[in-house]
Amino acid sequence: MRYILTLLLFAFSFSYAEQYKIARITNGEIEAYVCVGETRAEQYYRGVRFDPTGVVLSLKAHGHIYFGGVYQVHRPECFDSISGPVEEYLVVGYNEAKIGEDFLKIGVGMLEKKSDVKYSFMENFKLKNAGKRSVKVFEDSIEYTHEMSDKSGYGYILKKRLRMEKSSLVVEHTLKNIGTKTIDSNVYGHCFFTIDNAQIDESVVAKFKFKLDCPQAFISKGLAEIKGNEIRYLRTAKDFERVSIDNIECAGTLEENCMEVEFGKIGAGVRVRGDKPLLKSVYWSNGKMVCPEPFVKIDIKPNEEFSWKFTYDFFKLQK
């Protein structure tokens, strides 16, 4: 049964390969189908919330399939119609821009401000300057470059590399400021963890390296509980039910930048860890996806650069 499921989930990737530019990479232990489109017409994701590079449609490890689209019907321009792991950056220059002027969304480009209301990632802003993109595909890795130069004074070269290391996917980034203005932002990994397309149930637990103090937590009735540094699910989740926790505060240490999710009945889990101090965390889940989100601070003056990485470990649970 698991073999049939694996074939069906990987068939999902093949079907999208006919519509979008996708590459297969493997190191013999894990295998992934990753989006590699350079132009918007080739990209699986065409919204303006997430960086569209490095979108993993599916990844196979230890006989299990990780990731997959958020929705059954994919809409490329929708703000969250995507597959993890992906990154989103805090907007730069939005509050200073007047209506009709542009602001920066790292990884996406320059967007046009259309009103004085508070920025929302759900809004589909007009993309005024998409910059230049290039992609290099190797057997077990992919390298992306996004170069942005704009009359506003913002400019950068963002290099992103996905590489496989045993049973892990390492995502490395370097952001160089080539403009005349400081880039003050932050970045987080939106993991969109799924395993074998399974429904969230009472065997699922999310674990953190810090105690969860969550005054802004929303939990669908009876779905989960927060105990210490864990979120434990109490029953099977329906598709529309969710757990949503904003601005989980922490001490901001490197040791805290490690979060994992275990799917007990499936016997597998996934961990995300970073190499920079954790700024904060956010958590979200629906019926099938579990998303611990690590945030890292970015503050780069002109001619300076900043590097960081997220590592995703795919593991089997001990019986």
Side-chain angles (χ1 to χ4, degrees), residues 110-127:
M110 300 299 300
L111 306 177
E112 183 180 297
K113 185 173 182 177
K114 55 185 178 181
S115 73
D116 280 330
V117 301
K118 184 179 179 181
Y119 170 80
S120 170
F121 58 66
M122 293 186 287
E123 290 288 336
N124 192 17
F125 295 93
K126 183 178 180 180
L127 180 59

Side-chain angles (χ1 to χ4, degrees), residues 165-209:
E165 187 177 280
K166 296 183 178 180
S167 294
S168 300
L169 178 68
V170 183
V171 186
E172 301 168 324
H173 316 75
T174 297
L175 182 64
K176 182 176 181 179
N177 187 344
I178 61 171
T180 59
K181 294 182 177 180
T182 296
I183 296 177
D184 184 4
S185 182
N186 62 48
V187 60
Y188 71 95
H190 203 318
C191 305
F192 292 111
F193 290 148
T194 64
I195 305 182
D196 294 342
N197 200 36
Q199 205 76 10
I200 303 301
D201 61 24
E202 66 277 5
S203 74
V204 175
V205 56
K207 299 181 178 181
F208 301 79
K209 292 291 186 179

Side-chain angles (χ1 to χ4, degrees), residues 137-151:
V137 180
F138 304 93
E139 183 178 357
D140 63 352
S141 65
I142 303 175
E143 296 177 359
Y144 302 87
T145 300
H146 184 210
E147 184 170 349
M148 170 59 57
S149 181
D150 190 73
K151 62 183 180 181

Side-chain angles (χ1 to χ4, degrees), residues 58 202 216 224 232:
S58 61
E202 66 277 5
Q216 300 181 55
R232 290 190 169 272

Side-chain angles (χ1 to χ4, degrees), residues 10-25 32-38 41-45 52 54-58 74 83 135 137 142 144:
F10 262 48
F12 160 85
S13 300
F14 285 121
S15 67
Y16 278 135
E18 297 177 359
Q19 304 175 53
Y20 313 106
K21 196 171 183 181
I22 295 171
R24 172 186 175 273
I25 57 174
Y33 287 87
V34 186
C35 301
V36 292
E38 295 181 5
E42 297 173 330
Q43 290 169 350
Y44 171 81
Y45 179 73
V55 176
V56 179
L57 288 179
S58 61
H74 179 59
S83 176
V135 183
V137 180
I142 303 175
Y144 302 87

Side-chain angles (χ1 to χ4, degrees), residues 193 200-212 214 224-234 243 245 248 258-264 268-272 281-285 289-293 315 317:
F193 290 148
I200 303 301
D201 61 24
E202 66 277 5
S203 74
V204 175
V205 56
K207 299 181 178 181
F208 301 79
K209 292 291 186 179
F210 50 90
K211 186 177 180 180
L212 296 172
C214 308
E225 64 178 359
I226 300 172
K227 300 188 74 173
N229 66 335
E230 297 182 347
I231 300 172
R232 290 190 169 272
Y233 289 80
L234 305 177
V243 175
I245 308 172
I248 304 173
C258 181
M259 312 169 189
E260 67 179 52
V261 180
E262 298 178 356
F263 287 66
V270 56
R271 177 185 307 109
V272 56
S281 179
V282 169
Y283 183 86
W284 174 85
S285 75
M289 291 187 171
V290 180
C291 309
E293 302 170 8
F315 57 88
L317 297 179

